[in-house]
């Protein structure tokens, strides 16, 4: 594939990512950190001192590369090809193999592992208490774990992208964990896998698929039920976003709800797009109203998904909208919310940016096995949208040349009648959620058994429990959620040691 062809592919993905008719717009990214969706001033102004965890020191990490099998599920000759998969180890607090000290393994998600290391606090903050080894494994096709030698070749066509899926990723993690334990002579060290968002789904599925490798799993904000229409269409992601905004301010909610028709009405008039471009101080003239609406949709959704203390972005947005003069028109109030959220800038809405590896990777994943059918019902503050599997399939075929497997997740991992299914054989999984997170609607929110448990907080947001702690600003409910998770994991490990001793 030439660079010109690769650029053309990226352009097509970009068009699909940022148009209202696109399937991808309605599948917000799953990420513990928010990645590029979080406006930069959230970190620099919203949670000062959290650029990295106090427990994070780059010097504590050793980087390794494992000669990973390209295809774990095929015995064709070319399936035995390998690639270099990156993982990092922090042994600062490890008690050692002699005492079978535990291993905390972080399962990477749709991003370079570098983005997680400074801000995932659960492992470094608890490793000292568990005397645990820390392992961070990068997901295939992200960061430096790229098959076929380069990103251009890895994304060349359906054949090279076909090895990029969740089942292969889980097998990757299994191979690396077995390898590390052998290298360290730590065969009896119990492993707890930890992940957030998509990585949280992987953690729970890893425990189900590889119970001989992982003693337990902490699955933070893992919407494992958001597949195959398990979540009712009228109670999905955007319903929770709407509830978050309505709880913050009824007038804010009403203003946002009214704004969409006004945007369309103005855009349909001569010079309307030019007016909107000036109104919202866009970085370049709007070509269609959907560009503005997509931006606002993403901003509101992101604010709700990552509605974290102490800033609480939903409150910030509504503070801007409600803080505008009562004589201001609706769109002036909406723009005030944009400025409040993003900070003062030279321009807004459509700044030039390049597609990231996560944009490209997640677009493929949601067009292959991670098909999350998100609808926007009539009772939300957003324009209604119905997930159309036929249209979705056409878009995926147009982009990648292959159709998505709409029902694969529930076929391979399960999900329907989750309590009936998992109560019979699953164990040692914590499903943690914050109910302000729109993705929590697809999470496990009730205990399935004594050891497959739901730990959630009413005011929590996406993956908040596994991020770095802040003893000054973290509310008591968050502190207690983390303590509960640690207590449960300690119980798993204590029972494991008792069983291990009994077998000797």
């Amino acid at each position: 594939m030439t660079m010109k062809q690769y650029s053309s592919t990226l352009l097509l993905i970009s068009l699909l990512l940022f148009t209202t008719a696109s399937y991808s717009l309605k599948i917000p990214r799953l990420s513990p950190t928010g990645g590029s969706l979080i406006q930069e001033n959230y970190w620099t102004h919203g949670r000062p001192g959290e650029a990295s965890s106090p427990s994070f020191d780059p010097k504590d990490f050793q980087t390794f590369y494992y000669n990973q099998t390209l295809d774990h599920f095929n015995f064709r000759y070319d399936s035995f090809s390998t690639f270099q998969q990156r993982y990092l180890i922090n042994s600062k607090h490890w008690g050692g193999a002699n005492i079978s000290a535990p291993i905390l393994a972080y399962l990477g998600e749709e991003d370079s592992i570098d983005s997680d290391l400074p801000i995932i606090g659960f492992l470094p903050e608890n490793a000292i208490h568990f005397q645990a080894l820390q392992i961070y494994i990068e997901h295939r096709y992200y960061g430096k774990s790229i098959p076929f030698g380069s990103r251009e070749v890895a994304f060349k066509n359906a054949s090279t992208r076909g090895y990029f899926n969740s089942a292969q990723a889980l097998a990757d993690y299994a191979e690396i964990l077995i390898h590390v334990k052998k290298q360290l002579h730590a065969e009896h060290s119990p492993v707890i896998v930890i992940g957030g968002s998509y990585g949280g789904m992987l953690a729970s599925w890893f425990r189900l698929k590889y119970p001989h490798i992982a003693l337990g799993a902490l699955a933070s904000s893992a919407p494992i039920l958001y597949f195959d229409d398990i979540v009712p269409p009228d109670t999905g992601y955007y319903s929770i976003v709407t509830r978050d905004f309505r709880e913050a301010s009824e007038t804010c909610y009403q203003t946002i709800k009214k704004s969409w028709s006004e945007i369309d009405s103005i855009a349909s008039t001569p010079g309307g797009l030019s007016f909107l471009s000036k109104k919202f101080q866009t970085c370049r003239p709007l070509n269609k109203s959907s560009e503005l609406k997509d931006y606002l949709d993403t901003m509101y959704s992101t604010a709700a998904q990552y509605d974290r203390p102490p800033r609480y972005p939903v409150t910030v947005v509504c503070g801007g909208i409600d803080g505008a003069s009562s004589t201001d028109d609706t769109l002036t109030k909406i723009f005030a919310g944009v400025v409040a959220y993003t900070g003062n800038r030279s321009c807004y809405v459509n700044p030039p940016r390049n597609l990231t590896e996560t944009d490209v990777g997640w677009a493929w994943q949601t067009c292959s096995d991670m098909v999350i059918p998100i609808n926007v019902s009539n009772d939300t503050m957003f324009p209604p949208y119905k997930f159309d599997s036929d249209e979705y399939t056409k878009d995926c075929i147009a982009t990648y040349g292959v159709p998505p497997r709409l029902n694969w997740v529930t076929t391979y991992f399960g999900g329907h009648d989750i309590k009936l299914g998992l109560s019979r054989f699953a164990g040692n999984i914590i499903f943690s959620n914050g109910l302000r997170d729109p993705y929590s609607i697809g999470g496990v929110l009730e205990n399935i058994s004594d050891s497959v448990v739901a730990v959630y907080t009413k005011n929590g947001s996406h993956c908040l429990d596994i991020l770095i702690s802040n003893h000054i600003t973290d509310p008591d409910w968050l502190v207690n959620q983390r303590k509960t998770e640690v207590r449960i994991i300690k119980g798993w490990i204590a029972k494991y040691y008792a069983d291990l001793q009994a077998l000797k």
Side-chain angles (χ1 to χ4, degrees), residues 18 20 25 39 260 280 282 286 289-302 334-335 337-339 341-343 345 347-351:
F18 302 112
T20 300
L25 172 66
Q39 306 299 327
W260 309 108
F280 284 86
T282 62
L286 295 169
S289 62
S290 63
E291 294 175 357
L292 175 58
K293 293 195 295 183
D294 291 352
Y295 175 86
L296 294 172
D297 178 303
T298 299
M299 184 184 78
Y300 300 140
S301 301
T302 304
I334 294 296
F335 181 61
V338 171
V339 174
Y341 181 67
T342 62
R345 298 184 176 187
C347 63
Y348 302 85
V349 178
N350 52 10

Side-chain angles (χ1 to χ4, degrees), residues 70-84:
L70 178 64
D71 185 357
H72 300 282
F73 307 106
N74 202 311
F75 288 86
R76 287 163 42 107
Y77 179 78
D78 55 348
S79 299
F80 288 89
S81 299
T82 60
F83 68 97
Q84 295 295 292

Side-chain angles (χ1 to χ4, degrees), residues 321-494:
I321 291 174
D322 291 343
S325 171
S326 58
T327 59
D328 285 336
D329 61 89
T330 296
L331 297 190
T332 297
K333 294 177 180 178
I334 294 296
F335 181 61
V338 171
V339 174
Y341 181 67
T342 62
N344 290 312
R345 298 184 176 187
S346 59
C347 63
Y348 302 85
V349 178
N350 52 10
R353 79 177 185 92
N354 296 321
L355 284 176
T356 66
E357 63 178 281
T358 297
D359 292 329
V360 176
W362 186 240
W364 161 255
Q365 289 192 265
T366 55
C367 248
S368 50
D369 63 335
M370 300 301 296
V371 181
I372 302 174
I374 293 182
N375 293 280
V376 186
S377 64
N378 289 320
D379 62 353
T380 74
M381 67 182 189
F382 297 91
Y385 167 92
K386 180 173 175 54
F387 178 87
D388 186 322
S389 60
D390 292 337
E391 178 185 353
Y392 184 102
T393 298
K394 290 177 183 177
D395 282 341
C396 291
I397 292 174
T399 312
Y400 300 110
V402 295
R405 293 186 179 179
L406 300 170
N407 313 115
W408 175 244
V409 165
T410 54
T411 300
Y412 191 67
F413 298 114
H416 291 287
D417 296 320
I418 189 75
K419 192 165 187 176
L420 179 63
L422 295 191
S423 63
R424 297 199 308 273
F425 75 93
N428 293 5
I429 303 174
I430 299 170
F431 290 102
S432 65
N433 282 280
L435 299 188
R436 294 188 69 79
D437 171 19
Y439 269 124
S440 67
I441 195 69
V444 176
L445 300 178
E446 61 178 29
N447 292 347
I448 290 175
S449 67
D450 290 342
S451 66
V452 179
V453 297
V455 178
Y456 62 85
T457 55
K458 179 182 178 182
N459 295 319
S461 58
H462 201 63
C463 297
L464 187 56
D465 57 317
I466 64 170
L467 298 186
I468 52 178
S469 61
N470 187 317
H471 69 280
I472 298 174
T473 60
D474 285 346
D476 289 343
W477 50 261
L478 175 56
V479 173
N480 291 332
Q481 181 183 22
R482 289 171 174 150
K483 286 181 177 178
T484 297
E485 293 164 3
V486 170
R487 176 179 54 78
I488 293 170
I489 293 171
K490 282 184 176 178
W492 296 343
I493 294 175

Side-chain angles (χ1 to χ4, degrees), residues 143-157:
K144 296 182 179 180
S145 301
I146 307 296
F148 303 106
S150 72
R151 196 172 304 281
E152 288 77 17
V153 177
F155 284 87
K156 180 179 180 180
N157 53 40

Side-chain angles (χ1 to χ4, degrees), residues 134-151:
Q134 302 169 58
I135 302 177
Y136 300 77
I137 311 175
E138 190 166 65
H139 194 295
R140 60 168 54 199
Y141 284 78
Y142 291 110
K144 296 182 179 180
S145 301
I146 307 296
F148 303 106
S150 72
R151 196 172 304 281

